[in-house]
Amino acid sequence: MASPLFIFYSHHFLDHDTGPGHPEQPDRLRACVDALEKCDFSDQLEWKYPRYATEEELSWIHTVQHIEGIKRTCESGDGLLDVDTPVCSLSYEIAKQSAGAWLAGVEEILRGNSALILSRPPGHHAEINKSMGFCLFSNAALSAVYALKQNEINRVCIFDWDVHHGNGTQDIIQNIPDIYYVSIHQFPFYPGTGSQIETGEHNNVLNIPIPAGTSSQDYRNLFDKSVIPFILKATPDMLIISAGFDAHRRDPLADINLETEDFAYMTRSLQSIHPHLLIGLEGGYDLQALGECCKAVAGVLIDSTKAKMGKHA
Ligand SMILES: [Zn+2]
């Protein structure tokens, strides 16, 4: 029996209420869960209830004002952290669990497994001192900083394939020399950052802006010729994927033309660099594409688990 793929998910993530008509809605996670429960390898998935990040852990990457500000806004009931980022009274606790799911994912990687994080709210737009773009806490940056605190991890690389630039992740890690960040994103586009001249204080950031309408083939070429060499040069001990699925051609918010298979392709390629991946959900707003892409990515992680077990059998 092959070891399972670990999925970190909590039903509480559905209770982060962004209001009617908001694209970052609970149905996004329902679509992911539904696709994985119905797929033909569902018996090889092990669902784990994630822990909550502590305020101390959040303070590694965010100011106390940021953390307290979100807490206060949520305690006062429904509110807006920025024009795009509504919260409800439960959102602060849920965001701590969303961040905790990514931390638990790091712990799973350290045990020699891969992990898929299905959580919301997402994180890559949350800066050191600012919530924006549906994001409260920067889950990917937090998990990278947490990984670096482990003895066996000296370098971490975050690859952000969400269609938007992860301004929050970049803001937090750009002056940390042992964390590398590479992003392919539609440009010019929300949030406006992510030009090629933004390279981090230690040349630890690579931004690859692409125009609206970019084809699957052109995207793959950039991935092969720019993303993979950057990661290979960084020689990371851990590879974290900010996995938004909004570069899919079906996505209603963006204009890039990836197919579902492209996400499986990238996952396979990244696994050839590092066998154990931490893949965490960021954006992605077409429910059908979300379900298909989660299944495709999980399928790659499951296949490699089997291959690994086969080799050692
Ligand atoms: Zn996005």
Side-chain angles (χ1 to χ4, degrees), residues 16-25 28 62 66 69-74 76-92 95 120-127 129-139 167 190-191 253 282 285:
H16 169 52
D17 185 359
T18 48
H22 196 285
E24 205 293 278
Q25 52 170 314
R28 299 176 59 242
H62 292 295
H66 176 83
I70 293 173
K71 191 179 187 178
R72 265 199 314 276
T73 304
C74 294
S76 66
D78 296 352
L80 280 176
L81 295 173
D82 93 325
V83 65
D84 297 319
T85 316
V87 288
C88 66
S89 60
L90 300 172
S91 296
Y92 176 68
R120 61 186 288 276
H124 75 152
H125 294 308
E127 297 186 347
N129 196 31
K130 187 173 171 191
S131 302
M132 58 183 274
F134 320 159
C135 299
L136 279 58
F137 301 125
S138 184
N139 303 324
N167 59 296
Y190 185 88
L253 297 194
E282 298 280 4
Y285 305 98

Side-chain angles (χ1 to χ4, degrees), residues 124-125 162-164 246 283-285:
H124 75 152
H125 294 308
D162 188 282
V163 80
H164 302 95
D246 40 11
Y285 305 98

Side-chain angles (χ1 to χ4, degrees), residues 161-182:
W161 75 38
D162 188 282
V163 80
H164 302 95
H165 179 241
N167 59 296
T169 311
Q170 178 175 297
D171 180 49
I172 292 163
I173 68 86
Q174 62 186 342
N175 60 359
I176 306 177
D178 297 322
I179 301 181
Y180 296 79
Y181 176 72
V182 51

Side-chain angles (χ1 to χ4, degrees), residues 143-151 153-156 176 178-179:
S143 54
V145 167
Y146 180 52
L148 270 194
K149 291 179 182 287
Q150 317 303 315
N151 286 336
I153 306 295
N154 296 310
R155 282 177 305 283
V156 182
I176 306 177
D178 297 322
I179 301 181

Side-chain angles (χ1 to χ4, degrees), residues 26-161:
D27 279 350
R28 299 176 59 242
L29 279 190
R30 289 193 184 98
C32 298
V33 169
D34 194 49
L36 291 177
E37 282 181 345
K38 288 181 179 155
C39 73
D40 56 7
F41 52 80
S42 60
D43 59 333
Q44 294 167 70
L45 303 176
E46 185 162 327
W47 296 79
K48 293 191 119 182
Y49 183 79
R51 70 177 179 90
Y52 289 71
T54 64
E55 287 178 13
E56 187 193 337
E57 287 167 334
L58 294 172
S59 72
W60 295 340
I61 62 161
H62 292 295
T63 61
V64 172
Q65 299 98 289
H66 176 83
I67 300 166
E68 291 296 322
I70 293 173
K71 191 179 187 178
R72 265 199 314 276
T73 304
C74 294
E75 277 172 359
S76 66
D78 296 352
L80 280 176
L81 295 173
D82 93 325
V83 65
D84 297 319
T85 316
V87 288
C88 66
S89 60
L90 300 172
S91 296
Y92 176 68
E93 288 300 319
I94 296 169
K96 284 201 298 184
Q97 193 175 27
S98 182
W102 286 64
L103 296 177
V106 169
E107 290 155 12
E108 205 57 61
I109 307 303
L110 294 170
R111 286 191 281 267
N113 297 306
S114 284
L116 180 60
I117 316 302
L118 296 181
S119 78
R120 61 186 288 276
H124 75 152
H125 294 308
E127 297 186 347
I128 294 172
N129 196 31
K130 187 173 171 191
S131 302
M132 58 183 274
F134 320 159
C135 299
L136 279 58
F137 301 125
S138 184
N139 303 324
L142 180 66
S143 54
V145 167
Y146 180 52
L148 270 194
K149 291 179 182 287
Q150 317 303 315
N151 286 336
E152 58 269 58
I153 306 295
N154 296 310
R155 282 177 305 283
V156 182
C157 188
I158 300 168
F159 172 41
D160 189 331
W161 75 38

